[in-house]
Amino acid sequence: MIYLNRNKLIYLISLLAVLVICGLVFSIYTLQQHQQINQQIAMLNQGEMIDAEKLNMQSAEVRIAYAHLQRKLNLFDEAVETYSGTERLADKPQLVHIHYNLGNLYLTQAIDLAENLSVDRAVAMADVAKDFYRSALKNQPSFWEAKYNLEAAQRLSRDLPLGDVTISEESQDASTELWSAMPGFPIGLP
């Protein structure tokens, strides 16, 4: 049997107490950080622009919420910049959603440009959107929304006329095709 003398027992108990206190302090600090992040995200979700200096921009979650607010307020360039700066802070699931959201930003811009008959810029924006959707799908192949939006971007760039813009009956019916532009065998069609 091993017997501990009194000094060794006091030393061991003191060491354990210090470790427990350090763990408790770290847990409390981490909890406060998470609460602060949640409060900032809740403020951003209210829809009013907040100065970035008042936010914890070292948190990927806060930056994503801030970029989402910028997108809602139609601040395209600022949202792209915020999302792009968040990539270095994000983990893999967050990176998938960042690329998906960047694709959505560029696809929205491409659709707006196509409606204004700025075909060359719309095709360029659709191509950038497709790259972001592919990047999201590379990291999460089962991400259905990214697949759907990738196909929408492909259809947009395929259906836009090249060169001189002339609107005809034929170009309006181009998107009503039964088969998808995505490679592979379509599932669910007769």
Side-chain angles (χ1 to χ4, degrees):
M1 281 195 189
I2 299 177
Y3 291 102
L4 296 175
N5 66 20
R6 186 173 188 183
N7 288 338
K8 288 182 180 179
L9 184 63
I10 291 173
Y11 175 75
L12 183 62
I13 291 173
S14 302
L15 182 64
L16 288 174
V18 166
L19 290 175
V20 168
I21 290 172
C22 288
L24 184 62
V25 168
F26 179 74
S27 296
I28 290 171
Y29 174 76
T30 307
L31 180 64
Q32 287 176 340
Q33 290 293 99
H34 289 292
Q35 287 177 340
Q36 178 189 25
I37 288 170
N38 287 338
Q39 288 173 350
Q40 290 178 357
I41 291 171
M43 287 187 326
L44 290 168
N45 285 336
Q46 291 176 356
E48 293 182 23
M49 185 55 98
I50 299 172
D51 187 22
E53 294 176 3
K54 296 180 181 179
L55 299 173
N56 179 4
M57 296 305 269
Q58 297 303 314
S59 165
E61 295 89 356
V62 172
R63 289 181 67 96
I64 290 170
Y66 188 67
H68 180 72
L69 175 63
Q70 288 172 325
R71 183 192 60 82
K72 281 175 49 177
L73 297 174
N74 294 322
L75 302 171
F76 173 77
D77 293 331
E78 292 84 351
V80 168
E81 184 179 327
T82 303
Y83 276 129
S84 297
T86 306
E87 288 178 315
R88 62 182 166 76
L89 301 172
D91 58 14
K92 190 174 179 179
Q94 290 170 334
L95 196 57
V96 168
H97 288 283
I98 288 170
H99 289 163
Y100 171 72
N101 288 333
L102 281 167
N104 288 345
L105 283 169
Y106 280 101
L107 182 59
T108 303
Q109 287 294 315
I111 291 169
D112 290 344
L113 289 168
E115 288 175 350
N116 293 329
L117 301 177
S118 181
V119 175
D120 293 335
R121 290 185 61 209
V123 169
M125 290 284 193
D127 288 342
V128 174
K130 289 189 285 189
D131 289 340
F132 280 116
Y133 292 133
R134 285 185 187 116
S135 179
L137 288 169
K138 183 172 45 171
N139 289 322
Q140 187 179 342
S142 63
F143 193 9
W144 188 87
E145 290 90 352
K147 288 180 186 180
Y148 181 84
N149 288 358
L150 173 61
E151 183 171 341
Q154 287 176 332
R155 284 180 181 236
L156 177 68
S157 60
R158 181 191 71 199
D159 292 346
L160 286 174
L162 299 174
D164 295 332
V165 177
T166 57
I167 300 174
S168 65
E169 297 280 332
E170 214 175 282
S171 65
Q172 292 176 350
D173 294 334
S175 293
T176 60
E177 296 176 9
L178 179 63
W179 297 104
S180 157
M182 295 286 286
F185 186 75
I187 299 174
L189 295 175

